């Protein structure tokens, strides 16, 4: 994703099979500008938002991995600013997709995550709470807000077997 970089910088953030999160300057791709061990195993999804791109909040990245964790990263620090992990003893589900939304001012921001078992979870980063969760009965392959830089309105969830659902996030 280029979501956490400015238009002028065009820094690409990506994850790899070993769980590393890296940010590259495409003008000099010989070495990453930022690299950190983000997950235990493959990073399935990366999304970015913030800073000059939307005009609000810090530039941040969110990653979802095979270890079932969803982590929010600020590229200015080496540790995740938020780490949403399965509880001790709880079955670990593979997080396939993540997306930012509700970023309409400096305080608000949400993360939506989709899992291999059909779970969809919406996390409020301001209050650090789980705002909504449901199961769509099939592996979630994609999740996207209608517009990430306005108050939450709708988000779409795509699943295996070519199914999709649209959720009203206002209710």
């Amino acid at each position: 994703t280029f979501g956490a970089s400015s238009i002028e910088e065009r820094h690409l953030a990506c994850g790899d099979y070993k769980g590393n999160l890296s940010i590259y300057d495409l003008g000099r791709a010989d070495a990453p500008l930022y690299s950190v061990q983000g997950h235990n195993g493959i990073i399935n999804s990366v999304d970015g938002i913030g800073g000059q791109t939307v005009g609000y909040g810090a530039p941040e990245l969110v990653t979802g991995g095979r270890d079932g964790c969803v982590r929010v990263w600020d590229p200015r620090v080496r540790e995740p600013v938020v780490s949403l992990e399965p509880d001790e003893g709880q079955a670990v589900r593979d997080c396939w997709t993540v997306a930012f939304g509700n970023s309409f001012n400096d305080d608000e921001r949400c993360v939506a995550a989709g899992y291999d078992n059909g779970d969809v979870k919406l996390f409020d980063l301001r209050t650090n709470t789980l705002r909504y969760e449901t199961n769509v009965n099939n592996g979630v392959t994609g999740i996207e807000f209608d517009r990430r830089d306005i108050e939450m309105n709708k988000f779409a969830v795509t699943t295996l077997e070519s199914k999709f659902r649209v959720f009203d996030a206002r209710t």
Side-chain angles (χ1 to χ4, degrees):
T1 184
F2 291 102
S5 75
S6 69
I7 292 173
E8 296 82 24
E9 290 176 331
R10 305 315 297 162
H11 293 163
L12 175 68
C14 57
D16 67 18
Y17 286 98
K18 294 180 181 176
N20 297 309
L21 172 64
S22 300
I23 300 175
Y24 292 92
D25 179 348
L26 294 183
R28 346 177 325 244
D30 55 333
L33 298 172
Y34 174 87
S35 187
V36 63
Q37 179 67 38
H39 290 265
N40 296 325
I42 189 171
I43 293 178
N44 291 319
S45 184
V46 179
D47 192 25
I49 197 165
Q52 298 173 7
T53 307
V54 295
Y56 299 113
E60 290 178 323
L61 298 165
V62 62
T63 56
R66 183 172 287 162
D67 57 6
C69 298
V70 174
R71 296 201 169 112
V72 178
W73 303 88
D74 182 332
R76 300 171 294 186
V77 297
R78 303 228 13 105
E79 297 295 320
V81 293
V82 175
S83 187
L84 307 163
E85 303 178 11
D87 291 331
E88 218 30 66
Q90 184 181 10
V92 175
R93 303 308 311 190
D94 199 348
C95 180
W96 281 356
T97 185
V98 291
F100 276 117
N102 202 40
S103 184
F104 63 94
N105 65 27
D106 284 332
D107 299 322
E108 299 291 334
R109 193 162 287 169
C110 286
V111 168
Y115 296 83
D116 65 338
N117 66 340
D119 285 348
V120 174
K121 298 182 181 189
L122 182 63
F123 302 99
D124 187 325
L125 297 180
R126 183 179 56 83
T127 60
N128 203 25
T129 58
L130 180 64
R131 187 178 238 184
Y132 177 75
E133 95 181 287
T134 191
N135 188 289
V136 292
N137 299 322
N138 216 332
V140 179
T141 58
I143 200 162
E144 192 74 34
F145 287 88
D146 59 342
R147 283 200 33 212
R148 303 163 352 139
D149 58 344
I150 63 170
E151 277 190 74
M152 266 194 307
N153 187 23
K154 295 175 193 69
F155 64 94
V157 173
T158 59
T159 66
L160 296 172
E161 298 180 7
S162 303
K163 306 249 189 228
F164 70 93
R165 294 191 177 150
V166 177
F167 291 88
D168 183 350
R170 294 171 296 178
T171 58

